[in-house]
């Protein structure tokens, strides 16, 4: 594995969101929230969502985790904001394909904007669950599930 | 009528190194193809690390090797959901896993556990001891004619309080292939008055099938068999020792308490309590036997390349030959069903006036390895009225020559002891 | 100050094939010397059969291979009576064997079980769950200064109702070598009011020592340690995966009920009851992992040829170097005792502002394999106030170059995340 | 392994005692008796001993087993008859050394008489317990132990 692959994982966008996570605070007025846990890493985060009609109006998160999981959560809170529920769930699906390297359509990848920075994780199978943790938690919040553990929903056979 | 080897002897380093050896104890353990030994060496040379635990690429390779092996073995066994295939040391541990984790939680006084007279100790003693420990009743379905289980008697033992019906797929002592579908139908019907085995699962007894002697010889579509649990051993199908597995319904595994505690199987360990990892990890505490899994997967590849239908045809032919050759010798008694097509490659016999252990020793000196003893089936030997039998068993490398050498050695043994 | 490899890299096929790889996760699992892989191949080529069961010469060879391996490993561990060495899958199974077979029979409400804060989940969760299942109290001895166990606190937890005191020989998370003799003295004294462990045995608690991290690094004279049970894993000492062992006092093993039921472990199987075989077979149900035992014995040969004193000196030197090199980097925190002579070849650390998993990934790309995580010691991580640490661990093939590559990669990681 | 080794195991003496075991009957007037069991073979035998003062006056046995165990029991009943307790126990020790191949002193071997026919078993480690079963039972009878199982007292590491 080369330094270039590592550069692709830890892109400046990721490092920046790791250093200064956006929307990093609790949200008392949230419509729903969920905890995400990654037992084998010790990562834990909470994601809060304020839904307004059919739209995801606002998101925030807090927790501890590696750069990948923190940046992924931070990017999520910005990217999903303002989307309809359907759009948000479609993006959740897309991101899973991105993390696992299944999304190869360059048009789709380009359309992701800053989220595309997370695609570098697909070369690191052991880190996929770091990237997907916040997304699992977001979906769990929308579904009213409360808690989610990456050991369960992991999209790769490698949990 | 002459049957050559299905697999070249050269594929098996031990057989290649001893060209005169007639190895007829494959039901105890098979010889290993070179590809299995090579897979083990390759794993340790290219991918060895502790799986599931490291973030580095070598650990990812070890994890992939282990989980890919699980997928491979599951596919071989016709198991759609690989996470319902737990790796164990072998069939014995598989049965003990069920008896400990499921049994201790589910069985109590007034319940009963049903086994058959033909079970290997591995599928007999765990249930006998579970019954003794929980106050449940232990029931044994007796034999029918010529190496079969009396299905009517079996049916009569099963009721709404039956918690487990444990039966073999193929008998290691007699080679009988049991009618699994029929047994499942009977057991489901008779135990239907019991509680469901779990959400969305059938009511009644847990149906446990011991596949140790079936997996090496038959196409075992485990999901399609309709049982709740299925056990097997890797070393009986060309794989390494120390690995085997248990296939069990997801709903039951998820509801069941764990079996052993330690690394990998936990989710969170608090000071007072713990929570468990998802399947299959919940039931695999500690560093797994990656080498074993990788070797077993290579054995599945090898066996599938030979073809399970070809293996079956090969063994039926040899079994028929052996039964004919031994049956033609005066003073030899054959045990089990007379029809080679209803048995796997196992021929159990006795020589009048010569104890089985003397037979095994005499045959050994003639270069023919057979097993003499109770075959871990003392309850069966008791009702058969013999202390032991001689057993010859075949696999893919066995040939008509082996059968001829066996028959010849039997005649020489008779001459010596006459 | 420069420490070369104690064992040539060429002895280890994986390391030989990847000359640039810096493998610093030997505490998770070691790389395997070629002699171990060769012993496995040789066993399958020359002696493979199901041991204990066959009367033919090949089966005798397999039995001899297995029992000779037991003798070899016992000698390596300073165990005079080889029949008190049971082969298991590894340390995790060893602990679960005790908790199931001995614990379920001996522990009840009002009793208590004592562990330490530093235990691996394998020596923590089985006792926690045994306590929950039996109504016993579960007690945790807390930490003293810098990576030690508070022996006064430990003493205060032990009393006449203490049934088990479970402690590690060496911590896998911090490398601390615990004062086993001192712990044994304290535990015997404090629990002396309890019932004897068996005829002719000391009274009080069962002293269970987890030797998984000690056996590869220290001369472990198990009989002389004075504990009642000692567990270890073969894959951490150059042996294959899927094999390890439990040493336990003969009197306790003889009085204990069996662990798993099946072939080899029985004496007579009657319809309603069974009797058990003698030690060690009583605790080894089913076809044993002969390959694993043979490989482990070859690993003992290899390690003894290197010399345990030489291994110890080698690891102390590397640990001191690593602590010096990492300690000199600003923003790096070292965990555990500051004195390299009181720890095994394990260095746990953190880099300020960089999560351990990001450290592990960055180091991996630089060709340095380290472990990041909770090291199966969540209860310890919790009181240390960290979610995870980075751990580098050494064995016989590690060198000063490896340490230098580690320190360099740590500096590069800091630069990337600055 | 050669046919000669097999001939040494199944010497005519052995085959003869197997076909026509001597003293093969219960002994109602016995002073003591013991059962010997060999679980892995399924062998079971009972040995009866009549002690007269310090002498083993008479022995008999019954049971099922292989040629080796039957011949060994039959030969025992003849060889031990008339010996003192001390002589009998010394012979028990000698026979263990014979079975396991440790007894190489030709004078001792010659002194064994027909028992020497049992020395062929030393080349067959899996059969040693067949030969020693009756001897264990004999000792158990003298010791008043009642039952003995070869899995326990087996003189080889290979049980
Ligand atoms: C201290 C300690 N105890 C127990 C274990 C468990 O050993 P295994 O996974 O081989 O069963 C380990 C290693 O993982 C360990 O480091
Ligand atoms: C029918 C049957 N069940 C169970 C077993 C036990 O398998 P293992 O010894 O591999 O655990 C065997 C083989 O010994 C067998 O033949």
């Amino acid at each position: 594995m080369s330094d270039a692959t590592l550069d692709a994982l830890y892109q400046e966008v990721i490092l920046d969101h790791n250093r200064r996570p956006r929307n990093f605070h609790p949200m008392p007025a949230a419509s729903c929230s969920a905890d995400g846990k990654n037992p084998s890493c010790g990562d834990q985060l909470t994601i809060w969502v304020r839904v307004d009609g059919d739209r995801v109006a606002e998101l925030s998160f807090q927790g501890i985790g590696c750069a990948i999981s923190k940046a992924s959560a931070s990017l999520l809170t910005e990217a999903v904001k303002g989307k309809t529920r359907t759009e948000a769930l479609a993006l959740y699906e897309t991101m899973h394909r991105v993390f696992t390297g299944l999304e190869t359509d360059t048009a789709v990848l380009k359309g992701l904007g800053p989220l595309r920075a997370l695609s570098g994780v697909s070369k690191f199978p052991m880190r996929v669950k770091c990237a997907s943790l916040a997304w699992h938690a977001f979906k769990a919040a929308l579904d009213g599930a409360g808690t989610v553990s990456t050991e369960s929903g992991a999209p790769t056979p490698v949990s | 009528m002459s049957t050559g080897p299905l697999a070249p002897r050269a594929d098996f380093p031990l057989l290649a190194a001893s060209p005169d050896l007639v190895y007829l104890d494959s039901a105890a353990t098979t010889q290993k193809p070179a590809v299995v030994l090579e897979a083990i060496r390759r794993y340790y040379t290219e991918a060895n690390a502790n799986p599931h635990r490291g973030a580095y690429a070598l650990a990812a390779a070890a994890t992939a090797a282990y989980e890919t092996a699980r997928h491979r073995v599951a596919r071989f066994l016709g198991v759609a959901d690989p996470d319902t295939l737990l790796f164990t040391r072998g069939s014995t541990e598989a049965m003990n896993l069920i008896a400990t984790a499921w049994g201790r939680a589910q069985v109590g006084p007034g319940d009963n556990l049903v086994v058959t007279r033909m079970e290997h100790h591995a599928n007999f003693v765990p249930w006998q001891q579970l019954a003794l420990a929980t106050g449940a009743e232990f029931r044994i379905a007796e034999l029918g004619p010529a190496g079969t289980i009396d299905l009517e008697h079996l049916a009569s033992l099963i009721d709404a309080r039956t918690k487990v019906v444990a039966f073999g797929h193929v008998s290691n002592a007699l080679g009988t292939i049991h009618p699994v579908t029929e047994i499942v139908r009977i057991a489901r019907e008779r135990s239907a008055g019991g509680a469901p085995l779990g959400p969305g699962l059938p009511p009644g007894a847990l149906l446990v099938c011991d596949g140790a002697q079936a997996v090496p010889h038959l196409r075992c579509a485990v999901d399609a068999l309709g049982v709740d649990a299925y056990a097997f051993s890797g070393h009986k199908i060309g794989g390494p020792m120390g690995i085997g597995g248990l296939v069990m319904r997801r709903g039951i595994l998820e509801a069941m308490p764990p079996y052993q505690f330690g690394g990998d199987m936990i989710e969170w360990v608090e000071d007072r309590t713990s929570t468990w990892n998802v399947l299959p990890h919940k039931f695999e505490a500690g560093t797994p036997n990656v080498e074993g899994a990788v070797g077993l997967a290579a054995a599945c590849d090898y066996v599938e390349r030979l073809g399970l239908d070809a293996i079956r045809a090969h063994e039926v032919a040899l079994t028929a030959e052996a039964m004919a050759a031994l049956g033609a010798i005066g003073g030899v008694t054959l045990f089990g069903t007379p029809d080679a097509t209803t048995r796997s490659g196992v021929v159990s016999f006795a020589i009048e006036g010569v104890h089985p252990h003397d037979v095994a020793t005499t045959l050994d000196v003639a270069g023919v390895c057979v097993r003499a003893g109770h075959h871990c089936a003392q309850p069966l030997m008791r009702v058969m009225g013999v202390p032991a039998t001689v057993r010859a068993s075949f696999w893919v490398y066995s040939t008509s020559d082996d059968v001829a050498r066996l028959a010849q050695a039997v005649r020489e043994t008779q001459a010596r002891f006459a």
Side-chain angles (χ1 to χ4, degrees), chain A, chain B:
Chain A
M1 201 156 287
S2 71
D3 277 5
T5 333
L6 195 64
D7 294 342
L9 178 65
Y10 293 117
Q11 294 176 32
E12 192 44 45
V13 181
I14 304 282
L15 295 177
D16 177 54
H17 277 261
N18 177 41
R19 270 184 227 109
R20 300 185 303 114
R22 320 299 198 266
N23 305 306
F24 193 74
H25 54 75
M27 191 197 296
S31 328
C32 53
S33 74
D35 294 334
K37 299 184 175 201
N38 188 333
S40 60
C41 302
D43 290 358
Q44 283 184 272
L45 60 77
T46 307
I47 202 149
W48 288 271
V49 184
R50 188 166 63 74
V51 180
D52 184 1
D54 191 38
R55 298 226 165 242
V56 180
E58 204 183 346
L59 300 100
S60 74
F61 85 106
Q62 243 184 358
I64 45 171
C66 62
I68 307 297
S69 74
K70 230 152 135 195
S72 182
S74 176
L75 284 160
L76 179 156
T77 60
E78 291 197 318
V80 172
K81 183 173 177 172
K83 291 220 185 309
T84 66
R85 224 185 160 84
T86 315
E87 287 165 350
L89 289 176
L91 185 59
Y92 164 89
E93 297 293 345
T94 304
M95 290 312 291
H96 272 314
R97 286 202 304 282
V98 170
F99 297 153
T100 50
L102 296 176
E103 186 57 76
T104 48
D105 185 328
T106 41
V108 173
L109 289 169
K110 273 195 183 140
L112 290 176
L115 285 179
R116 194 174 174 179
L118 289 165
S119 64
V121 82
S122 66
K123 293 281 183 297
F124 295 84
M126 309 303 263
R127 306 301 301 279
V128 167
K129 62 185 166 189
C130 307
S132 53
L133 182 62
W135 296 84
H136 282 299
F138 166 63
K139 181 157 188 299
L142 282 191
D143 293 351
T147 308
V148 69
S149 163
T150 48
E151 305 290 293
S152 329
T156 53
V158 175
S159 74
Chain B
M1 168 176 82
S2 175
T3 310
L6 179 64
R9 203 168 165 99
D11 279 4
F12 295 81
L14 186 139
L15 300 178
S18 301
D20 283 337
L21 190 77
V22 177
Y23 183 74
L24 293 178
D25 197 16
S26 293
T29 200
T30 53
Q31 296 305 331
K32 316 306 175 197
V35 287
V36 167
L37 308 188
E38 175 53 22
I40 293 172
R41 201 198 55 77
R42 198 167 348 105
Y43 166 70
Y44 282 128
T45 304
E46 294 174 5
N48 176 60
N50 204 317
H52 304 138
R53 298 191 187 174
Y56 52 88
L58 195 62
T63 308
Y66 187 59
E67 296 303 335
T68 303
R70 192 192 308 278
H71 280 67
R72 178 67 189 92
V73 178
R75 188 152 48 81
F76 177 78
L77 292 174
V79 172
D81 179 355
D83 292 349
T84 62
L85 168 62
L86 315 177
F87 284 123
T88 64
R89 183 169 28 244
S91 307
T92 303
E93 185 172 44
M95 247 66 84
N96 280 277
L97 190 163
I98 308 172
T100 312
W102 189 87
R104 289 300 184 113
Q106 295 289 333
V107 178
D111 292 333
N112 64 73
L113 311 175
V114 177
V115 304
T116 90
R117 177 59 71 187
M118 229 184 289
E119 296 317 305
H120 187 280
H121 292 158
N123 200 27
F124 188 97
V125 189
W127 311 117
Q128 180 197 62
Q129 295 297 314
L130 178 63
L132 289 174
T134 58
E137 199 187 322
F138 184 62
R139 300 177 176 175
I140 305 170
E142 297 296 346
L143 302 183
T148 62
I149 295 163
D150 181 342
L151 294 187
E152 274 180 44
H153 185 234
L154 176 69
S156 75
L157 299 179
I158 304 173
D159 57 38
R161 294 302 299 271
T162 303
K163 286 291 186 179
V164 173
V165 179
F167 54 96
H169 192 163
V170 171
S171 159
N172 69 308
L174 301 179
T176 317
I177 302 175
H178 298 301
V180 174
T181 315
E182 182 67 5
I183 294 174
V184 168
R185 196 189 55 70
I186 292 170
R188 290 268 185 250
E189 197 176 293
R190 299 279 314 167
S191 70
L197 284 163
L201 296 178
L206 186 80
L207 307 190
V208 178
C209 186
D210 173 0
Q213 292 293 339
V215 165
H217 310 289
L218 307 176
R219 191 183 298 282
C220 301
V222 173
D223 282 351
L225 284 176
V227 299
D228 301 311
Y230 195 87
F232 66 98
S233 298
H235 69 93
K236 293 192 196 281
I237 180 172
M241 289 172 148
I243 193 84
L246 171 64
V247 179
M248 210 161 165
R249 283 185 198 275
R250 177 176 276 274
I252 301 175
L253 287 173
E254 283 176 344
M256 232 163 99
Y259 162 57
Q260 295 181 338
F261 305 97
D264 272 16
M265 59 72 66
I266 57 94
E267 185 189 45
W268 299 101
V269 178
E270 303 293 342
D271 283 3
R272 302 290 141 207
T273 56
S274 300
T275 56
W276 316 127
N277 202 340
V278 294
L279 299 181
H281 313 294
K282 174 181 168 187
F283 291 97
E284 295 184 359
T287 302
N289 185 355
V290 184
E291 177 218 297
V294 165
L296 175 55
C300 291
D301 283 345
Y302 182 79
V303 163
E304 235 167 47
R305 239 172 2 247
L306 294 176
L308 282 150
D309 295 335
I311 293 176
R312 179 76 190 123
H314 179 71
E315 293 185 351
V316 169
L318 286 178
T319 305
E321 283 176 38
M323 288 167 71
L326 295 172
I329 304 174
V332 170
T333 309
L334 294 174
F335 301 106
T337 80
D339 177 1
T341 68
T342 63
R343 38 201 290 173
S344 77
V346 164
V347 178
S348 241
F349 64 96
I351 304 179
E352 202 186 318
V354 192
H355 190 280
H357 282 90
D358 296 316
V359 177
T361 297
T362 336
L363 265 55
D364 182 33
V365 175
V368 179
C369 305
V370 295
R371 175 90 177 278
H374 53 61
H375 314 296
C376 295
Q378 290 179 357
L380 174 64
M381 295 293 124
R382 218 158 31 239
V383 303
M384 285 171 62
V386 294
T389 75
V390 185
R391 183 187 73 184
S393 55
F394 309 114
W395 206 41
V396 298
Y397 35 66
S398 309
T399 63
S400 288
D401 268 4
D402 294 344
V403 171
R405 291 268 304 274
L406 167 67
Q408 176 59 23
V410 165
R411 277 188 297 263
E412 284 166 16
T413 303
Q414 286 183 314
R416 181 178 289 273
F417 282 86

